[in-house]
Amino acid sequence: MNTSPILVRCWPGILPYFTVLDAMREFTTQRDAETPDQMWLLQHPPVFTLGRNADAADVLDPGSIPVIRSDRGGKVTYHGPGQWIVYLMIDLPRMGINVRQLTSMMEQSVIQILADHGVNAHARRDAPGVYVGEAKIASLGLRVQRGRSYHGLSLNTDMDLSPFQRIHPCGMPQLTVTQIHDLCPDWPSRDVAEALMNALSDQLQRPLQKGGA
């Protein structure tokens, strides 16, 4: 297994979805066998995204929120301020793992940090993501090209959850959502991000190296 450091880029501000999507695609297209893996930590402005398996009918009432067709896996979800996004650009063959293993590592990272704060969370084999009871707290979606991943996970942290009512989250009409602020109100958002990155480092068994934005 590759144990070289993963470069972490913490993007400041709230970045448009297409801006980051284009950057991920360019990075993935141009990288070669020696390019270090990267993880990007950031937030998006309000946007509904449709994955490759999404049904547009699952967007019930977008209002003024843009709806964007994405090339990630999965169905429909919502991104907005107060939700941490981690995009993982990983060379899977070089690391000796497959996409299912990477998905499980992402899920276990969220489960780990919640457990550390007394919250019992779990994954579902039939619906990727992380759940607290019946409510979803983290969504996952990846794309793999030539063995190299991009996209990643979103963790509801301290945000307005009402836009989720305008969609069938992940194509599931009865699915409810929750967030860390409602479960652990004294856990600062920045500390959540740091804990998540450290947990991903533990799961991937790779050290993190901080880089610029």
PDB file of all heavy atoms in Angstrom, residues 33 36 51 80:
ATOM      1  N   ALA A  33       1.813   9.117 -13.208  1.00  0.00           N
ATOM      2  CA  ALA A  33       2.084   8.076 -12.217  1.00  0.00           C
ATOM      3  C   ALA A  33       2.824   8.595 -10.990  1.00  0.00           C
ATOM      4  O   ALA A  33       2.804   7.948  -9.932  1.00  0.00           O
ATOM      5  CB  ALA A  33       2.886   6.943 -12.857  1.00  0.00           C
ATOM      6  N   PRO A  36       1.473  13.387  -6.717  1.00  0.00           N
ATOM      7  CA  PRO A  36       0.970  13.071  -5.376  1.00  0.00           C
ATOM      8  C   PRO A  36      -0.555  13.149  -5.318  1.00  0.00           C
ATOM      9  O   PRO A  36      -1.180  13.976  -5.992  1.00  0.00           O
ATOM     10  CB  PRO A  36       1.604  14.156  -4.491  1.00  0.00           C
ATOM     11  CG  PRO A  36       2.807  14.630  -5.258  1.00  0.00           C
ATOM     12  CD  PRO A  36       2.417  14.534  -6.694  1.00  0.00           C
ATOM     13  N   GLY A  51     -26.214  13.323  -9.705  1.00  0.00           N
ATOM     14  CA  GLY A  51     -25.202  12.357 -10.079  1.00  0.00           C
ATOM     15  C   GLY A  51     -25.607  11.584 -11.320  1.00  0.00           C
ATOM     16  O   GLY A  51     -26.690  11.764 -11.883  1.00  0.00           O
ATOM     17  N   GLY A  80     -24.352  23.363   0.413  1.00  0.00           N
ATOM     18  CA  GLY A  80     -24.533  24.751   0.811  1.00  0.00           C
ATOM     19  C   GLY A  80     -23.569  25.141   1.904  1.00  0.00           C
ATOM     20  O   GLY A  80     -22.875  24.289   2.486  1.00  0.00           O
TER      21      GLY A  80
END
